[in-house]
Amino acid sequence: MLVAVRGARESSAATAAPVRRGRPWWRRIPLAPYLYVLPALAMLVVWVYTPLCETFQLSFYRWNLIPSQPKKPVGTANYSAVVQLPELHRALVNTGVYIAALMVFSLVLPLLIAVLSQRVSGRARTCYQALIFVPFLVTPVATSAVWRWMFAPDGGTITVLAQHFGLELGNVFRSTAMAIWAIVAICGWQMLGFGVLVMSAGLAGINPDYAAAAALDGASAARIFRRITLPLLSPTLVFLALMTILLGAQWTYPVIDILTQGGPSDATTNIYYLLYEFGFRNFDAGSAAAAGMLFFLAFGIVALIFVELSERLSFYDN
């Protein structure tokens, strides 16, 4: 009896095995997950990867953006010319200044404001955070127009207030020493709300039981903040720092274009505005593409290093 049953099972398995082996491989792949991400992948290919490939190809040609004019292959001459330009060196220095200064508005001040806002309870905290976030919703064009009026040499609000304290600002946006700091102040004021929102979300995700337990053990508020809050908030800090490094120059670009056009004497230009000048003022598409590829590789390397460091330095509440 047992032998007959075993034989029947073996025979049924033998007959079923060829059916599994003969099934096409593509029918065994679940298509539903790929269909969900297909629209996003299509948009990435159309709006990111295709222009990136075209930029890489254009970086080896000399072209003045006129469709009737042919593209002249020049090899790596565009890269050699761009690297040797003094304007590039000045733009890189200014970009570093922008990123370092904006760290104050994206990390230090948002952390301070988010911690202080925890002492406000109820709807007052929501209104408080909403008022700080409002400048982020204002377009850069409107922001630049308002701040140009406030910094006006004759009758500007900030200029008049500075005169009451004995400071003569003059035309801030035409001063080689002050123009870049005015751009930093404008962009920092606008981006402060985003940093506060992200920082508040990070603080809300920290379990308050840790601080309560530490307080019962006699830990001071400063010690709790330094030894518990900051380590658990490190993923948020790393995220904001990475965003500032990768997007700091991009945030300042529209303000520079409206208020200073990179001047005076390239005192406020950055790498993004330099690309605009190469492509749409000098009509040198090859140099603009070469500079764009260099910046893309540089920021890509920085992002990879930063992500790797964030995995090692971040503390997570598991």
Side-chain angles (χ1 to χ4, degrees), residues 29-39:
I29 300 177
L31 296 179
Y34 298 97
L35 292 177
Y36 283 119
V37 300
L38 184 60

Side-chain angles (χ1 to χ4, degrees), residues 219-277:
S220 62
R223 186 176 180 83
I224 292 174
F225 178 77
R226 186 176 66 255
R227 302 300 296 271
I228 296 178
T229 304
L230 280 182
L232 293 177
L233 197 62
S234 58
T236 303
L237 297 174
V238 169
F239 168 75
L240 288 175
L242 182 61
M243 290 287 292
T244 306
I245 292 174
L246 297 181
L247 301 179
Q250 185 175 340
W251 292 338
T252 57
Y253 167 79
V255 181
I256 294 172
D257 185 42
I258 296 171
L259 295 179
T260 64
Q261 292 79 47
S265 302
D266 293 332
T268 59
T269 189
N270 63 14
I271 55 176
Y272 284 98
Y273 195 78
L274 189 67
L275 293 179
Y276 168 77
E277 287 185 329

